[in-house]
PDB file of all heavy atoms in Angstrom:
ATOM      1  N   TYR A  86      -8.966  -3.950  65.250  1.00 93.00           N
ATOM      2  CA  TYR A  86      -7.627  -4.421  65.499  1.00 93.00           C
ATOM      3  C   TYR A  86      -6.674  -3.268  65.823  1.00 93.00           C
ATOM      4  O   TYR A  86      -5.696  -3.442  66.543  1.00 93.00           O
ATOM      5  CB  TYR A  86      -7.132  -5.186  64.278  1.00 93.00           C
ATOM      6  CG  TYR A  86      -7.892  -6.488  64.062  1.00 93.00           C
ATOM      7  CD1 TYR A  86      -8.994  -6.515  63.199  1.00 93.00           C
ATOM      8  CD2 TYR A  86      -7.552  -7.636  64.731  1.00 93.00           C
ATOM      9  CE1 TYR A  86      -9.722  -7.677  63.009  1.00 93.00           C
ATOM     10  CE2 TYR A  86      -8.280  -8.829  64.540  1.00 93.00           C
ATOM     11  CZ  TYR A  86      -9.361  -8.835  63.678  1.00 93.00           C
ATOM     12  OH  TYR A  86     -10.093  -9.993  63.517  1.00 93.00           O
ATOM     13  N   ALA A  87      -6.972  -2.106  65.251  1.00 95.00           N
ATOM     14  CA  ALA A  87      -6.160  -0.941  65.512  1.00 95.00           C
ATOM     15  C   ALA A  87      -6.930   0.310  65.069  1.00 95.00           C
ATOM     16  O   ALA A  87      -7.844   0.226  64.254  1.00 95.00           O
ATOM     17  CB  ALA A  87      -4.802  -1.000  64.744  1.00 95.00           C
ATOM     18  N   MET A  88      -6.562   1.426  65.623  1.00 96.00           N
ATOM     19  CA  MET A  88      -7.110   2.710  65.201  1.00 96.00           C
ATOM     20  C   MET A  88      -5.964   3.682  65.055  1.00 96.00           C
ATOM     21  O   MET A  88      -4.892   3.522  65.673  1.00 96.00           O
ATOM     22  CB  MET A  88      -8.181   3.227  66.160  1.00 96.00           C
ATOM     23  CG  MET A  88      -9.385   2.339  66.274  1.00 96.00           C
ATOM     24  SD  MET A  88     -10.742   3.036  67.214  1.00 96.00           S
ATOM     25  CE  MET A  88     -11.487   4.136  65.986  1.00 96.00           C
ATOM     26  N   GLY A  89      -6.188   4.701  64.281  1.00 97.00           N
ATOM     27  CA  GLY A  89      -5.092   5.650  64.063  1.00 97.00           C
ATOM     28  C   GLY A  89      -5.598   7.002  63.615  1.00 97.00           C
ATOM     29  O   GLY A  89      -6.763   7.166  63.268  1.00 97.00           O
ATOM     30  N   TRP A  90      -4.686   7.902  63.524  1.00 98.00           N
ATOM     31  CA  TRP A  90      -4.921   9.242  63.018  1.00 98.00           C
ATOM     32  C   TRP A  90      -3.880   9.563  61.933  1.00 98.00           C
ATOM     33  O   TRP A  90      -2.683   9.321  62.149  1.00 98.00           O
ATOM     34  CB  TRP A  90      -4.851  10.292  64.113  1.00 98.00           C
ATOM     35  CG  TRP A  90      -5.959  10.200  65.116  1.00 98.00           C
ATOM     36  CD1 TRP A  90      -5.950   9.494  66.275  1.00 98.00           C
ATOM     37  CD2 TRP A  90      -7.240  10.790  64.991  1.00 98.00           C
ATOM     38  NE1 TRP A  90      -7.206   9.638  66.903  1.00 98.00           N
ATOM     39  CE2 TRP A  90      -7.984  10.434  66.143  1.00 98.00           C
ATOM     40  CE3 TRP A  90      -7.834  11.626  64.042  1.00 98.00           C
ATOM     41  CZ2 TRP A  90      -9.309  10.853  66.324  1.00 98.00           C
ATOM     42  CZ3 TRP A  90      -9.139  12.044  64.270  1.00 98.00           C
ATOM     43  CH2 TRP A  90      -9.872  11.657  65.394  1.00 98.00           C
ATOM     44  N   PHE A  91      -4.367  10.086  60.851  1.00 98.00           N
ATOM     45  CA  PHE A  91      -3.525  10.500  59.762  1.00 98.00           C
ATOM     46  C   PHE A  91      -3.885  11.969  59.469  1.00 98.00           C
ATOM     47  O   PHE A  91      -4.923  12.458  59.878  1.00 98.00           O
ATOM     48  CB  PHE A  91      -3.809   9.672  58.489  1.00 98.00           C
ATOM     49  CG  PHE A  91      -3.370   8.230  58.644  1.00 98.00           C
ATOM     50  CD1 PHE A  91      -4.047   7.347  59.489  1.00 98.00           C
ATOM     51  CD2 PHE A  91      -2.324   7.742  57.879  1.00 98.00           C
ATOM     52  CE1 PHE A  91      -3.656   6.041  59.602  1.00 98.00           C
ATOM     53  CE2 PHE A  91      -1.932   6.397  57.981  1.00 98.00           C
ATOM     54  CZ  PHE A  91      -2.601   5.528  58.832  1.00 98.00           C
ATOM     55  N   ARG A  92      -2.995  12.651  58.760  1.00 98.00           N
ATOM     56  CA  ARG A  92      -3.304  14.048  58.400  1.00 98.00           C
ATOM     57  C   ARG A  92      -2.794  14.334  56.988  1.00 98.00           C
ATOM     58  O   ARG A  92      -1.826  13.719  56.526  1.00 98.00           O
ATOM     59  CB  ARG A  92      -2.703  15.022  59.392  1.00 98.00           C
ATOM     60  CG  ARG A  92      -1.164  15.081  59.425  1.00 98.00           C
ATOM     61  CD  ARG A  92      -0.710  15.977  60.566  1.00 98.00           C
ATOM     62  NE  ARG A  92       0.748  16.054  60.647  1.00 98.00           N
ATOM     63  CZ  ARG A  92       1.430  16.665  61.639  1.00 98.00           C
ATOM     64  NH1 ARG A  92       0.725  17.205  62.652  1.00 98.00           N
ATOM     65  NH2 ARG A  92       2.718  16.676  61.644  1.00 98.00           N
ATOM     66  N   GLN A  93      -3.470  15.287  56.365  1.00 98.00           N
ATOM     67  CA  GLN A  93      -3.134  15.652  55.015  1.00 98.00           C
ATOM     68  C   GLN A  93      -3.214  17.170  54.880  1.00 98.00           C
ATOM     69  O   GLN A  93      -4.309  17.762  55.058  1.00 98.00           O
ATOM     70  CB  GLN A  93      -4.045  14.990  53.984  1.00 98.00           C
ATOM     71  CG  GLN A  93      -3.644  15.205  52.552  1.00 98.00           C
ATOM     72  CD  GLN A  93      -4.352  14.269  51.622  1.00 98.00           C
ATOM     73  OE1 GLN A  93      -5.420  13.708  51.934  1.00 98.00           O
ATOM     74  NE2 GLN A  93      -3.818  14.045  50.431  1.00 98.00           N
ATOM     75  N   ALA A  94      -2.083  17.796  54.605  1.00 96.00           N
ATOM     76  CA  ALA A  94      -2.047  19.234  54.363  1.00 96.00           C
ATOM     77  C   ALA A  94      -2.253  19.468  52.892  1.00 96.00           C
ATOM     78  O   ALA A  94      -2.004  18.589  52.065  1.00 96.00           O
ATOM     79  CB  ALA A  94      -0.703  19.803  54.860  1.00 96.00           C
ATOM     80  N   PRO A  95      -2.679  20.662  52.503  1.00 92.00           N
ATOM     81  CA  PRO A  95      -2.892  20.949  51.082  1.00 92.00           C
ATOM     82  C   PRO A  95      -1.664  20.670  50.233  1.00 92.00           C
ATOM     83  O   PRO A  95      -0.537  21.124  50.568  1.00 92.00           O
ATOM     84  CB  PRO A  95      -3.270  22.460  51.064  1.00 92.00           C
ATOM     85  CG  PRO A  95      -3.840  22.706  52.438  1.00 92.00           C
ATOM     86  CD  PRO A  95      -3.057  21.788  53.345  1.00 92.00           C
ATOM     87  N   GLY A  96      -1.851  19.925  49.160  1.00 94.00           N
ATOM     88  CA  GLY A  96      -0.746  19.620  48.264  1.00 94.00           C
ATOM     89  C   GLY A  96       0.224  18.577  48.729  1.00 94.00           C
ATOM     90  O   GLY A  96       1.250  18.317  48.079  1.00 94.00           O
ATOM     91  N   LYS A  97      -0.112  17.958  49.869  1.00 96.00           N
ATOM     92  CA  LYS A  97       0.797  16.942  50.422  1.00 96.00           C
ATOM     93  C   LYS A  97       0.102  15.607  50.519  1.00 96.00           C
ATOM     94  O   LYS A  97      -1.130  15.531  50.493  1.00 96.00           O
ATOM     95  CB  LYS A  97       1.373  17.421  51.775  1.00 96.00           C
ATOM     96  CG  LYS A  97       2.206  18.653  51.685  1.00 96.00           C
ATOM     97  CD  LYS A  97       2.885  18.914  53.018  1.00 96.00           C
ATOM     98  CE  LYS A  97       3.838  20.110  52.931  1.00 96.00           C
ATOM     99  NZ  LYS A  97       4.513  20.371  54.222  1.00 96.00           N
ATOM    100  N   GLN A  98       0.863  14.562  50.746  1.00 97.00           N
ATOM    101  CA  GLN A  98       0.276  13.247  50.891  1.00 97.00           C
ATOM    102  C   GLN A  98      -0.270  13.049  52.299  1.00 97.00           C
ATOM    103  O   GLN A  98       0.013  13.838  53.194  1.00 97.00           O
ATOM    104  CB  GLN A  98       1.343  12.150  50.594  1.00 97.00           C
ATOM    105  CG  GLN A  98       2.454  12.124  51.611  1.00 97.00           C
ATOM    106  CD  GLN A  98       3.488  11.037  51.286  1.00 97.00           C
ATOM    107  OE1 GLN A  98       3.604  10.560  50.151  1.00 97.00           O
ATOM    108  NE2 GLN A  98       4.234  10.622  52.290  1.00 97.00           N
ATOM    109  N   ARG A  99      -1.103  12.054  52.461  1.00 97.00           N
ATOM    110  CA  ARG A  99      -1.663  11.747  53.772  1.00 97.00           C
ATOM    111  C   ARG A  99      -0.610  10.926  54.550  1.00 97.00           C
ATOM    112  O   ARG A  99      -0.135   9.892  54.088  1.00 97.00           O
ATOM    113  CB  ARG A  99      -2.934  10.956  53.605  1.00 97.00           C
ATOM    114  CG  ARG A  99      -3.718  10.719  54.900  1.00 97.00           C
ATOM    115  CD  ARG A  99      -5.006  10.024  54.639  1.00 97.00           C
ATOM    116  NE  ARG A  99      -5.894  10.810  53.770  1.00 97.00           N
ATOM    117  CZ  ARG A  99      -7.156  10.461  53.519  1.00 97.00           C
ATOM    118  NH1 ARG A  99      -7.704   9.375  54.086  1.00 97.00           N
ATOM    119  NH2 ARG A  99      -7.870  11.183  52.705  1.00 97.00           N
ATOM    120  N   ASP A 100      -0.306  11.437  55.712  1.00 97.00           N
ATOM    121  CA  ASP A 100       0.733  10.792  56.560  1.00 97.00           C
ATOM    122  C   ASP A 100       0.166  10.296  57.880  1.00 97.00           C
ATOM    123  O   ASP A 100      -0.731  10.920  58.440  1.00 97.00           O
ATOM    124  CB  ASP A 100       1.874  11.758  56.806  1.00 97.00           C
ATOM    125  CG  ASP A 100       2.689  12.118  55.614  1.00 97.00           C
ATOM    126  OD1 ASP A 100       2.880  11.244  54.739  1.00 97.00           O
ATOM    127  OD2 ASP A 100       3.115  13.284  55.495  1.00 97.00           O
ATOM    128  N   MET A 101       0.734   9.274  58.388  1.00 98.00           N
ATOM    129  CA  MET A 101       0.366   8.746  59.695  1.00 98.00           C
ATOM    130  C   MET A 101       0.842   9.692  60.781  1.00 98.00           C
ATOM    131  O   MET A 101       1.984  10.163  60.757  1.00 98.00           O
ATOM    132  CB  MET A 101       0.961   7.349  59.894  1.00 98.00           C
ATOM    133  CG  MET A 101       0.450   6.586  61.138  1.00 98.00           C
ATOM    134  SD  MET A 101       1.335   6.980  62.672  1.00 98.00           S
ATOM    135  CE  MET A 101       2.959   6.323  62.330  1.00 98.00           C
ATOM    136  N   VAL A 102      -0.030   9.959  61.721  1.00 98.00           N
ATOM    137  CA  VAL A 102       0.318  10.776  62.880  1.00 98.00           C
ATOM    138  C   VAL A 102       0.552   9.893  64.110  1.00 98.00           C
ATOM    139  O   VAL A 102       1.588  10.002  64.794  1.00 98.00           O
ATOM    140  CB  VAL A 102      -0.789  11.793  63.211  1.00 98.00           C
ATOM    141  CG1 VAL A 102      -0.457  12.576  64.483  1.00 98.00           C
ATOM    142  CG2 VAL A 102      -0.990  12.747  62.024  1.00 98.00           C
ATOM    143  N   ALA A 103      -0.371   9.017  64.369  1.00 98.00           N
ATOM    144  CA  ALA A 103      -0.292   8.097  65.510  1.00 98.00           C
ATOM    145  C   ALA A 103      -1.241   6.946  65.279  1.00 98.00           C
ATOM    146  O   ALA A 103      -2.265   7.105  64.614  1.00 98.00           O
ATOM    147  CB  ALA A 103      -0.678   8.822  66.786  1.00 98.00           C
ATOM    148  N   LYS A 104      -0.874   5.781  65.824  1.00 97.00           N
ATOM    149  CA  LYS A 104      -1.761   4.635  65.758  1.00 97.00           C
ATOM    150  C   LYS A 104      -1.645   3.838  67.026  1.00 97.00           C
ATOM    151  O   LYS A 104      -0.634   3.914  67.726  1.00 97.00           O
ATOM    152  CB  LYS A 104      -1.472   3.797  64.524  1.00 97.00           C
ATOM    153  CG  LYS A 104      -0.046   3.239  64.449  1.00 97.00           C
ATOM    154  CD  LYS A 104       0.126   2.487  63.105  1.00 97.00           C
ATOM    155  CE  LYS A 104       1.570   1.986  62.961  1.00 97.00           C
ATOM    156  NZ  LYS A 104       1.785   1.234  61.702  1.00 97.00           N
ATOM    157  N   ILE A 105      -2.715   3.094  67.317  1.00 96.00           N
ATOM    158  CA  ILE A 105      -2.762   2.301  68.546  1.00 96.00           C
ATOM    159  C   ILE A 105      -3.429   0.978  68.240  1.00 96.00           C
ATOM    160  O   ILE A 105      -4.455   0.942  67.548  1.00 96.00           O
ATOM    161  CB  ILE A 105      -3.488   3.095  69.662  1.00 96.00           C
ATOM    162  CG1 ILE A 105      -3.465   2.358  70.954  1.00 96.00           C
ATOM    163  CG2 ILE A 105      -4.912   3.454  69.248  1.00 96.00           C
ATOM    164  CD1 ILE A 105      -3.882   3.196  72.166  1.00 96.00           C
ATOM    165  N   SER A 106      -2.877  -0.060  68.732  1.00 94.00           N
ATOM    166  CA  SER A 106      -3.466  -1.403  68.527  1.00 94.00           C
ATOM    167  C   SER A 106      -4.554  -1.630  69.583  1.00 94.00           C
ATOM    168  O   SER A 106      -4.637  -0.917  70.591  1.00 94.00           O
ATOM    169  CB  SER A 106      -2.422  -2.462  68.630  1.00 94.00           C
ATOM    170  OG  SER A 106      -1.981  -2.612  69.971  1.00 94.00           O
ATOM    171  N   SER A 107      -5.309  -2.670  69.417  1.00 89.00           N
ATOM    172  CA  SER A 107      -6.360  -3.027  70.372  1.00 89.00           C
ATOM    173  C   SER A 107      -5.782  -3.386  71.704  1.00 89.00           C
ATOM    174  O   SER A 107      -6.451  -3.298  72.725  1.00 89.00           O
ATOM    175  CB  SER A 107      -7.221  -4.162  69.846  1.00 89.00           C
ATOM    176  OG  SER A 107      -6.409  -5.306  69.531  1.00 89.00           O
ATOM    177  N   SER A 108      -4.463  -3.803  71.741  1.00 90.00           N
ATOM    178  CA  SER A 108      -3.803  -4.145  72.977  1.00 90.00           C
ATOM    179  C   SER A 108      -3.185  -2.900  73.632  1.00 90.00           C
ATOM    180  O   SER A 108      -2.708  -3.014  74.753  1.00 90.00           O
ATOM    181  CB  SER A 108      -2.721  -5.168  72.707  1.00 90.00           C
ATOM    182  OG  SER A 108      -1.697  -4.618  71.898  1.00 90.00           O
ATOM    183  N   GLY A 109      -3.195  -1.759  72.920  1.00 91.00           N
ATOM    184  CA  GLY A 109      -2.719  -0.516  73.518  1.00 91.00           C
ATOM    185  C   GLY A 109      -1.326  -0.087  73.131  1.00 91.00           C
ATOM    186  O   GLY A 109      -0.849   0.982  73.552  1.00 91.00           O
ATOM    187  N   SER A 110      -0.671  -0.833  72.269  1.00 96.00           N
ATOM    188  CA  SER A 110       0.667  -0.430  71.828  1.00 96.00           C
ATOM    189  C   SER A 110       0.521   0.737  70.845  1.00 96.00           C
ATOM    190  O   SER A 110      -0.399   0.765  70.007  1.00 96.00           O
ATOM    191  CB  SER A 110       1.409  -1.575  71.184  1.00 96.00           C
ATOM    192  OG  SER A 110       0.750  -2.052  70.053  1.00 96.00           O
ATOM    193  N   THR A 111       1.404   1.696  70.956  1.00 98.00           N
ATOM    194  CA  THR A 111       1.290   2.922  70.151  1.00 98.00           C
ATOM    195  C   THR A 111       2.536   3.181  69.313  1.00 98.00           C
ATOM    196  O   THR A 111       3.616   2.672  69.572  1.00 98.00           O
ATOM    197  CB  THR A 111       1.101   4.124  71.092  1.00 98.00           C
ATOM    198  OG1 THR A 111       2.228   4.204  71.999  1.00 98.00           O
ATOM    199  CG2 THR A 111      -0.174   4.023  71.905  1.00 98.00           C
ATOM    200  N   HIS A 112       2.295   3.991  68.273  1.00 98.00           N
ATOM    201  CA  HIS A 112       3.409   4.426  67.394  1.00 98.00           C
ATOM    202  C   HIS A 112       3.076   5.818  66.929  1.00 98.00           C
ATOM    203  O   HIS A 112       1.934   6.102  66.578  1.00 98.00           O
ATOM    204  CB  HIS A 112       3.523   3.459  66.227  1.00 98.00           C
ATOM    205  CG  HIS A 112       4.636   3.869  65.291  1.00 98.00           C
ATOM    206  ND1 HIS A 112       5.970   3.649  65.630  1.00 98.00           N
ATOM    207  CD2 HIS A 112       4.642   4.407  64.060  1.00 98.00           C
ATOM    208  CE1 HIS A 112       6.749   4.097  64.607  1.00 98.00           C
ATOM    209  NE2 HIS A 112       5.965   4.564  63.684  1.00 98.00           N
ATOM    210  N   TYR A 113       4.106   6.688  66.955  1.00 98.00           N
ATOM    211  CA  TYR A 113       3.906   8.094  66.572  1.00 98.00           C
ATOM    212  C   TYR A 113       4.869   8.513  65.475  1.00 98.00           C
ATOM    213  O   TYR A 113       6.008   8.015  65.382  1.00 98.00           O
ATOM    214  CB  TYR A 113       4.174   8.994  67.798  1.00 98.00           C
ATOM    215  CG  TYR A 113       3.205   8.797  68.937  1.00 98.00           C
ATOM    216  CD1 TYR A 113       3.479   7.891  69.959  1.00 98.00           C
ATOM    217  CD2 TYR A 113       2.023   9.531  68.976  1.00 98.00           C
ATOM    218  CE1 TYR A 113       2.577   7.740  71.019  1.00 98.00           C
ATOM    219  CE2 TYR A 113       1.134   9.380  70.034  1.00 98.00           C
ATOM    220  CZ  TYR A 113       1.424   8.494  71.030  1.00 98.00           C
ATOM    221  OH  TYR A 113       0.530   8.342  72.058  1.00 98.00           O
ATOM    222  N   ALA A 114       4.424   9.436  64.690  1.00 98.00           N
ATOM    223  CA  ALA A 114       5.356  10.116  63.767  1.00 98.00           C
ATOM    224  C   ALA A 114       6.357  10.918  64.569  1.00 98.00           C
ATOM    225  O   ALA A 114       6.035  11.455  65.654  1.00 98.00           O
ATOM    226  CB  ALA A 114       4.578  11.042  62.828  1.00 98.00           C
ATOM    227  N   ASP A 115       7.597  10.987  64.079  1.00 98.00           N
ATOM    228  CA  ASP A 115       8.623  11.704  64.812  1.00 98.00           C
ATOM    229  C   ASP A 115       8.252  13.135  65.120  1.00 98.00           C
ATOM    230  O   ASP A 115       8.589  13.667  66.167  1.00 98.00           O
ATOM    231  CB  ASP A 115       9.938  11.654  63.992  1.00 98.00           C
ATOM    232  CG  ASP A 115      10.577  10.297  63.931  1.00 98.00           C
ATOM    233  OD1 ASP A 115      10.196   9.433  64.754  1.00 98.00           O
ATOM    234  OD2 ASP A 115      11.441  10.076  63.059  1.00 98.00           O
ATOM    235  N   SER A 116       7.521  13.773  64.205  1.00 98.00           N
ATOM    236  CA  SER A 116       7.199  15.204  64.356  1.00 98.00           C
ATOM    237  C   SER A 116       6.251  15.483  65.510  1.00 98.00           C
ATOM    238  O   SER A 116       6.065  16.651  65.910  1.00 98.00           O
ATOM    239  CB  SER A 116       6.601  15.728  63.045  1.00 98.00           C
ATOM    240  OG  SER A 116       5.423  15.022  62.714  1.00 98.00           O
ATOM    241  N   VAL A 117       5.543  14.465  66.055  1.00 98.00           N
ATOM    242  CA  VAL A 117       4.595  14.710  67.091  1.00 98.00           C
ATOM    243  C   VAL A 117       4.967  14.063  68.409  1.00 98.00           C
ATOM    244  O   VAL A 117       4.236  14.229  69.409  1.00 98.00           O
ATOM    245  CB  VAL A 117       3.174  14.246  66.666  1.00 98.00           C
ATOM    246  CG1 VAL A 117       2.779  14.890  65.315  1.00 98.00           C
ATOM    247  CG2 VAL A 117       3.064  12.739  66.618  1.00 98.00           C
ATOM    248  N   VAL A 118       6.061  13.338  68.440  1.00 98.00           N
ATOM    249  CA  VAL A 118       6.466  12.687  69.687  1.00 98.00           C
ATOM    250  C   VAL A 118       6.657  13.734  70.788  1.00 98.00           C
ATOM    251  O   VAL A 118       7.283  14.766  70.598  1.00 98.00           O
ATOM    252  CB  VAL A 118       7.772  11.891  69.441  1.00 98.00           C
ATOM    253  CG1 VAL A 118       8.365  11.429  70.771  1.00 98.00           C
ATOM    254  CG2 VAL A 118       7.523  10.722  68.548  1.00 98.00           C
ATOM    255  N   GLY A 119       6.050  13.423  71.925  1.00 98.00           N
ATOM    256  CA  GLY A 119       6.154  14.344  73.072  1.00 98.00           C
ATOM    257  C   GLY A 119       5.090  15.402  73.094  1.00 98.00           C
ATOM    258  O   GLY A 119       4.928  16.092  74.106  1.00 98.00           O
ATOM    259  N   ARG A 120       4.354  15.561  72.009  1.00 98.00           N
ATOM    260  CA  ARG A 120       3.285  16.582  71.942  1.00 98.00           C
ATOM    261  C   ARG A 120       1.893  15.964  71.801  1.00 98.00           C
ATOM    262  O   ARG A 120       0.945  16.502  72.355  1.00 98.00           O
ATOM    263  CB  ARG A 120       3.546  17.513  70.757  1.00 98.00           C
ATOM    264  CG  ARG A 120       4.887  18.225  70.830  1.00 98.00           C
ATOM    265  CD  ARG A 120       4.962  19.311  69.729  1.00 98.00           C
ATOM    266  NE  ARG A 120       4.903  18.788  68.392  1.00 98.00           N
ATOM    267  CZ  ARG A 120       3.969  19.105  67.473  1.00 98.00           C
ATOM    268  NH1 ARG A 120       3.062  20.036  67.782  1.00 98.00           N
ATOM    269  NH2 ARG A 120       3.987  18.572  66.256  1.00 98.00           N
ATOM    270  N   PHE A 121       1.788  14.885  71.105  1.00 98.00           N
ATOM    271  CA  PHE A 121       0.525  14.220  70.829  1.00 98.00           C
ATOM    272  C   PHE A 121       0.434  12.908  71.590  1.00 98.00           C
ATOM    273  O   PHE A 121       1.432  12.215  71.752  1.00 98.00           O
ATOM    274  CB  PHE A 121       0.293  13.971  69.336  1.00 98.00           C
ATOM    275  CG  PHE A 121       0.142  15.173  68.465  1.00 98.00           C
ATOM    276  CD1 PHE A 121       0.355  16.449  68.931  1.00 98.00           C
ATOM    277  CD2 PHE A 121      -0.261  14.987  67.143  1.00 98.00           C
ATOM    278  CE1 PHE A 121       0.183  17.555  68.109  1.00 98.00           C
ATOM    279  CE2 PHE A 121      -0.410  16.098  66.323  1.00 98.00           C
ATOM    280  CZ  PHE A 121      -0.179  17.347  66.793  1.00 98.00           C
TER     281      PHE A 121
END
């Protein structure tokens, strides 16, 4: 139904980086918009 990428730095929580639905709609974390 969807796939995504999350990341976790040492000592920090796991955060969403980007996700995409099976239909192709996407959502990005503000910190990676325009780069990822």
Side-chain angles (χ1 to χ4, degrees):
Y86 294 94
M88 297 188 80
W90 291 93
F91 293 69
R92 66 187 180 188
Q93 187 167 20
K97 296 189 176 182
Q98 67 180 21
R99 188 175 300 187
D100 292 325
M101 190 275 293
V102 175
K104 58 184 178 180
I105 185 167
S106 71
S107 56
S108 64
S110 62
T111 58
H112 181 72
Y113 295 92
D115 290 344
S116 60
V117 307
V118 169
R120 300 189 298 122
F121 292 10

